[in-house]
Amino acid sequence: MSETMSLNEKKLYKGSRDKPNDFDYFWEKQIRQLNSKNDYTLYKCHFMIDYVDCYDLTIQMENNSSTYCKVLKPLGKGPFPVVFHFHGYQGQSSDWSEYFKYILAGYAVVAMDVRGQAGKSVDGNYFKGNTVKGHIVRGMTENPNDLFFKDIYLDVYRVIELVATFDWVDNDNLTTLGASQGGALALVGGALSDKIKKIISVYPFLSDFSRVLELKLSCEPYDELFRYFKFEDPFYMTEEKILSSLDYIDIKNFADLIKGDVKLVTGLRDDICLPSTQYAIVNHLKTSYEHIILPEYGHEAMNVFMHDKIMNWITGDKIGE
């Protein structure tokens, strides 16, 4: 089903469920419980390219899991500003060469592979219940501590906090960037780490799950939710329990924790991450932000507009303007 709200309704919409009272405490506790030891390897890649240093970064996480990142930096000691890039659902970080444009602008890049998806990160967890389709449903029938995306969000936090300790990093200029799932993780990074100064989120995923169910938005990737109800709970007896759990990974509930400057891009024809679910994020922001609306775009590449804009937002330049 497509969007049902008018633009004026969206501008006031804050989501169909309230943020849990203990949401902030829940995430503070999750962070406190992380292993304080940074166990990682950083190996230089020998690509025979004379203007960039490239590294494989692997961080050991809890539950025998590991998070892999591509790390690229300009030659020299720095300090360099850093762009943390997060990819879309079920994908992986981009090719190395895709990030060279940031190197030429004097920026380092850290590109994280989400555990259990197409990249090199490894998930070592065990989950009960239906995991046949994807990551949203994992752990949702238990309690918020078992949610798979809870671990992914903590991976984002750990990556940012570790990289910030490297002596070539300019901690006053850290940016998160991504689209769809990556847009959601960019916002989470800005919410959980106060080190992030800029957040660029393009049509973020994982917001306002209750509205997704209300509108029967069964397209990829939300179809895994409806597969659960169809085959395990056709009468929706567990709906409230599941939504109460998913509230803890709902991106709109992170919005008021963000302190950095936010650029959020929405295509009004988006029929995957509905515009209303994105407005639910924007309308909870308490920091400085700009909400960029593209009336004729959906959940798709925005090549005629976005690449130069994103570079300008990151660097403060005026390419194409």
Side-chain angles (χ1 to χ4, degrees), residues 149-167:
F149 264 103
K150 180 215 73 177
D151 292 330
I152 294 172
Y153 293 177
L154 291 174
D155 291 348
V156 170
Y157 172 81
R158 287 279 295 270
V159 167
I160 292 169
E161 294 296 309
L162 172 62
V163 170
T165 68
F166 295 168
D167 58 9

Side-chain angles (χ1 to χ4, degrees), residues 14-263:
K14 292 191 172 183
S16 53
R17 292 174 64 87
D18 292 333
K19 177 177 176 175
N21 291 332
D22 67 340
F23 182 91
D24 295 3
Y25 173 76
F26 173 86
W27 281 101
E28 290 169 2
K29 182 178 179 182
Q30 296 299 322
I31 289 172
R32 286 199 307 271
Q33 291 175 337
L34 290 174
N35 187 341
S36 59
K37 181 181 178 182
N38 283 326
D39 186 5
Y40 70 94
T41 59
L42 186 67
Y43 292 121
K44 188 171 184 178
C45 303
H46 296 287
F47 290 151
M48 307 302 290
I49 302 172
D50 60 7
Y51 57 86
V52 57
D53 286 329
C54 299
Y55 300 87
D56 289 319
L57 170 64
T58 303
I59 309 169
Q60 298 304 312
M61 304 297 189
E62 285 72 17
N63 301 316
N64 297 314
S65 300
S66 63
T67 297
Y68 170 82
C69 301
K70 293 181 174 78
V71 177
L72 306 87
K73 59 178 279 296
L75 301 182
K77 296 182 178 180
F80 302 108
V82 179
V83 176
F84 293 90
H85 178 251
F86 303 101
H87 62 77
Y89 193 46
Q90 301 179 2
Q92 60 184 303
S93 55
S94 301
D95 289 347
W96 294 92
S97 59
E98 289 294 305
Y99 300 117
F100 287 175
K101 59 188 176 185
Y102 298 112
I103 300 299
L104 297 176
Y107 281 69
V109 178
V110 176
M112 187 186 94
D113 284 352
V114 174
R115 62 167 71 190
Q117 297 186 17
K120 295 182 180 180
S121 294
V122 176
D123 172 52
N125 284 311
Y126 167 78
F127 293 91
K128 296 179 181 178
N130 184 344
T131 64
V132 66
K133 184 60 182 176
H135 289 171
I136 299 173
V137 299
R138 292 191 181 187
M140 71 179 185
T141 59
E142 302 303 308
N143 63 71
N145 289 297
D146 294 317
L147 289 165
F148 189 65
F149 264 103
K150 180 215 73 177
D151 292 330
I152 294 172
Y153 293 177
L154 291 174
D155 291 348
V156 170
Y157 172 81
R158 287 279 295 270
V159 167
I160 292 169
E161 294 296 309
L162 172 62
V163 170
T165 68
F166 295 168
D167 58 9
W168 48 265
V169 171
D170 178 0
N171 280 306
D172 292 325
N173 196 341
L174 304 182
T175 299
T176 55
L177 166 66
S180 196
Q181 175 185 256
L185 298 184
L187 291 163
V188 167
L192 296 183
S193 175
D194 59 8
K195 294 180 173 63
I196 299 301
K197 302 301 190 292
K198 298 178 184 177
I199 300 96
I200 301 170
S201 177
V202 181
Y203 41 67
F205 177 44
L206 300 169
S207 177
D208 204 4
F209 293 105
S210 180
R211 181 155 175 78
V212 170
L213 292 182
E214 173 191 344
L215 294 182
K216 305 297 182 184
L217 193 64
S218 58
C219 59
E220 181 80 26
Y222 283 119
D223 58 333
E224 60 199 61
L225 277 172
F226 295 93
R227 176 182 288 268
Y228 163 79
F229 283 110
K230 181 176 181 178
F231 292 107
E232 294 202 23
D233 181 17
F235 298 107
Y236 279 65
M237 299 295 291
T238 61
E239 180 179 1
E240 177 58 30
K241 177 183 178 181
I242 284 173
L243 287 174
S244 294
S245 184
L246 293 175
D247 282 340
Y248 290 87
I249 60 168
D250 192 322
I251 296 301
K252 70 177 177 58
N253 294 333
F254 288 89
D256 64 354
L257 298 176
I258 296 172
K259 295 181 175 61
D261 178 73
V262 176
K263 305 287 189 186

Side-chain angles (χ1 to χ4, degrees), residues 107 198 309-319 321:
Y107 281 69
K198 298 178 184 177
K309 280 288 187 185
I310 288 173
M311 181 64 79
N312 289 345
W313 292 334
I314 291 172
T315 65
D317 294 330
K318 300 294 181 182
I319 303 169
E321 294 189 359

